[in-house]
C-alpha cells in the first residue's frame, strides 16, 4: 500500500490545495483513525443473538454486527426495512443484487423469508464478492440449509425457482456488466464506508443505479454522510431505517417517491463539510486514495 504521507502530498499537488502542516497532520490523524480496526478479535466470533460471524483481518471489522447479532442484522437491517416481503407480492420474478456476498447470510435469509411467503416467486440473485472465506459458519436451522446449498454449489445454483450466480472479483468490475439488469432489490453490504470506500463511491453507486429497476429499492446499514450525499446527487429519494444494536440506523433509497429523512438529517446533507461523496471516477482507485481525496475535499470545505 502506498504510504499515507506520500499519497497526501501527491493529492495536494493534483488537487492544487495548499495546507499548513498542522492541517495536513489533522488529515493524516483522521484517516489513521478511520483505518484503525473496529474490533480486536480474529476468526469466528459469537454475536449477541447467539449466531456466529467472522472477523476480517484485512478490514479489522466483523462481517456482521456483534452487538446486533448476525442473524438479527440480516433480518432487522436489511430484509424487514426493505419491505420486500410486502411489495414482492406484485412480482412473478424478483431480481436481487447482493453486494458483498461475505458469508452468504443476507442472501440465505432473504431466500428463506421469500420462499415461506411466496412459494411460486422466481428469485434471480446475483452476488458480488472479492474473496471467499474458508470455514464459513452456518446459520442455524432453515437459514443454514439454504446457505449450505449456496456454498456447496458455488459459483452458481439453479433449482426450484431460484437462480443464483456469484461474480467473484472486484465488484467495481463485475458491476459494469450488469447495467440494465433491472434489480428490484439491492442489499448493499460492504464493510463500513471509511474502511471499504471503493464500494460506497458516487461512481460505484452510479453503476448500481444503472443496474436497478426504476421501482427498485436499495438498502444498507449505513447512514454515513458521504454515502447519503452520493445517493442524493444520483437522484435517489432517501429514508432512514431503525437503529439495531447501535445508535444510528441505516438508509433505504428509491428512485421513485419522496425524501422521508427527518429534516435535521436532510439539512446535514446540505450543510455538513463531511457531506461530500467519495469519488472514484475510473472505478479503480485504491481505497486509500479515495479516502485521502475525500478528506481533502472536507478540509477545503472547512476553510
Ligand atoms: N453480506 C454478507 C453476509 O451477509 O454474509 C456480509 C458482507 S461483509 C460485511 C463485506 C463483504 O464485501 C466481504 O465479504 C468483502 O470481501 C466484500 N468486498 C469488499 N470489497 C469488495 C470489492 N471491492 N469487491 C467485491 N467484494 C468486496
Amino acid at each position: 500500500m502506498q504510504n499515507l504521507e506520500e499519497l497526501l502530498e501527491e493529492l495536494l499537488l493534483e488537487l492544487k490545495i495548499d495546507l499548513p502542516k498542522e492541517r495536513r497532520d489533522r488529515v493524516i490523524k483522521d484517516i489513521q483513525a478511520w483505518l484503525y480496526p473496529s474490533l480486536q478479535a480474529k476468526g469466528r466470533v459469537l454475536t449477541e443473538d447467539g449466531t456466529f460471524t467472522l472477523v476480517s483481518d484485512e478490514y479489522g471489522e466483523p462481517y456482521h454486527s456483534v452487538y446486533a447479532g448476525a442473524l438479527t442484522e440480516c433480518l432487522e437491517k436489511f430484509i424487514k426495512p426493505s419491505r420486500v416481503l410486502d411489495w414482492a407480492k406484485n412480482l412473478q420474478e424478483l431480481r436481487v443484487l447482493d453486494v458483498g456476498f461475505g458469508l452468504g447470510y443476507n442472501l440465505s435469509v432473504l431466500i428463506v423469508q421469500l420462499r415461506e411467503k411466496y412459494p411460486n416467486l422466481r428469485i434471480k440473485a446475483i452476488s458480488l464478492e472479492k474473496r471467499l472465506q474458508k470455514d464459513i459458519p452456518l446459520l442455524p436451522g432453515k437459514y443454514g440449509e439454504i446457505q449450505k446449498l449456496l456454498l456447496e454449489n458455488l459459483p452458481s445454483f439453479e433449482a426450484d425457482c431460484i437462480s443464483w450466480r456469484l461474480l467473484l472479483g472486484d465488484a467495481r468490475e463485475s458491476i459494469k456488466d450488469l447495467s440494465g439488469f433491472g434489480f428490484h432489490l439491492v442489499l448493499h453490504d460492504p464493510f463500513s464506508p471509511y474502511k471499504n470506500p471503493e464500494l460506497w463511491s458516487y461512481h460505484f453507486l452510479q453503476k448500481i443505479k444503472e443496474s436497478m429497476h426504476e421501482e427498485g429499492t436499495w438498502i444498507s446499514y449505513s447512514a454515513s454522510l458521504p454515502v447519503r450525499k452520493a445517493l442524493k446527487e444520483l437522484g435517489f429519494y432517501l429514508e432512514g431505517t431503525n437503529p439495531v444494536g447501535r445508535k444510528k440506523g441505516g438508509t433505504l433509497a428509491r428512485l421513485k417517491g419522496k425524501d422521508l429523512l427527518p429534516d435535521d438529517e436532510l439539512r446535514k446533507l446540505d450543510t455538513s463539510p463531511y457531506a461530500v461523496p467519495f469519488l472514484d471516477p475510473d472505478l479503480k482507485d485504491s481505497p486509500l486514495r479515495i479516502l485521502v481525496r475525500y478528506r481533502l475535499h472536507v478540509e477545503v470545505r472547512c476553510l
Side-chain angles (χ1 to χ4, degrees):
M1 201 204 283
Q2 196 175 357
N3 172 300
L4 178 53
E5 279 85 358
E6 273 173 29
L7 192 52
L8 177 64
E9 291 309 318
E10 196 179 306
L11 278 159
L12 282 167
L13 278 177
E14 192 179 305
L15 300 172
K16 301 189 174 61
I17 298 171
D18 192 17
L19 281 186
K21 174 151 183 350
E22 69 273 15
R23 295 188 68 172
R24 288 174 193 222
D25 289 348
R26 200 165 68 191
V27 167
I28 287 181
K29 226 169 126 197
D30 271 4
I31 295 171
Q32 284 168 337
W34 292 339
L35 295 174
Y36 194 74
S38 67
L39 188 68
Q40 301 293 343
K42 276 187 183 303
R44 180 184 288 232
V45 290
L46 184 63
T47 72
E48 186 60 32
D49 63 6
T51 57
F52 286 92
T53 191
L54 296 180
V55 179
S56 160
D57 283 344
E58 186 182 349
Y59 293 90
E61 249 183 36
Y63 278 69
H64 301 89
S65 162
V66 172
Y67 304 107
L71 175 58
T72 306
E73 179 174 40
C74 303
L75 288 165
E76 304 293 334
K77 290 194 190 169
F78 285 93
I79 315 302
K80 281 192 194 160
S82 74
R83 301 188 286 273
V84 60
L85 294 177
D86 297 331
W87 50 258
K89 68 173 177 289
N90 305 319
L91 301 173
Q92 312 249 297
E93 177 180 273
L94 176 89
R95 293 192 284 274
V96 189
L97 179 65
D98 172 39
V99 181
F101 172 78
L103 315 184
Y105 284 11
N106 275 347
L107 187 61
S108 308
V109 173
L110 175 72
I111 291 174
V112 169
Q113 295 266 313
L114 284 169
R115 293 314 297 269
E116 283 180 350
K117 194 155 182 191
Y118 306 108
N120 297 322
L121 176 72
R122 287 197 306 277
I123 302 170
K124 192 167 185 172
I126 299 217
S127 296
L128 309 181
E129 177 53 56
K130 186 166 73 170
R131 201 168 298 121
L132 280 173
Q133 295 301 303
K134 292 197 195 95
D135 302 324
I136 292 183
L138 285 185
L139 283 169
K142 57 192 180 183
Y143 299 118
E145 283 169 29
I146 289 284
Q147 186 195 359
K148 196 159 174 260
L149 209 60
L150 298 176
L151 294 174
E152 285 176 351
N153 286 282
L154 285 163
S156 65
F157 171 79
E158 195 132 352
D160 205 15
C161 293
I162 302 169
S163 134
W164 169 69
R165 209 153 38 103
L166 173 86
L167 304 180
L168 204 54
D170 192 331
R172 293 179 292 179
E173 273 306 306
S174 313
I175 193 71
K176 292 177 183 164
D177 297 328
L178 297 174
S179 177
F181 202 90
F183 290 109
H184 301 100
L185 177 63
V186 179
L187 303 174
H188 198 89
D189 192 18
F191 288 110
S192 60
Y194 292 102
K195 296 236 168 20
N196 198 180
E198 76 274 22
L199 295 195
W200 301 94
S201 74
Y202 172 91
H203 298 90
F204 182 67
L205 291 167
Q206 184 174 43
K207 291 285 168 206
I208 297 267
K209 177 184 169 184
E210 288 167 17
S211 76
M212 284 174 69
H213 190 279
E214 58 177 14
E215 306 260 0
T217 294
W218 177 99
I219 188 151
S220 190
Y221 64 86
S222 175
S224 143
L225 287 172
V227 175
R228 283 188 168 175
K229 184 70 175 187
L231 291 164
K232 206 79 226 69
E233 287 188 0
L234 285 163
F236 283 95
Y237 295 102
L238 307 186
E239 199 176 311
T241 63
N242 289 333
V244 185
R246 60 180 201 159
K247 269 198 232 129
K248 274 187 172 176
T251 305
L252 180 140
R254 294 175 46 81
L255 288 163
K256 285 201 172 159
K258 55 181 182 171
D259 280 319
L260 294 170
L261 284 181
D263 284 347
D264 59 325
E265 292 185 27
L266 268 179
R267 207 170 319 114
K268 251 195 205 159
L269 290 179
D270 287 329
T271 54
S272 166
Y274 287 86
V276 52
F278 295 144
L279 301 180
D280 183 15
D282 301 320
L283 291 174
K284 47 170 84 125
D285 278 351
S286 70
L288 193 58
R289 176 174 282 267
I290 298 172
L291 276 189
V292 176
R293 192 194 281 120
Y294 166 73
R295 185 58 187 80
L296 286 176
H297 283 156
V298 171
E299 196 62 24
V300 168
R301 287 158 64 93
C302 294
L303 281 176

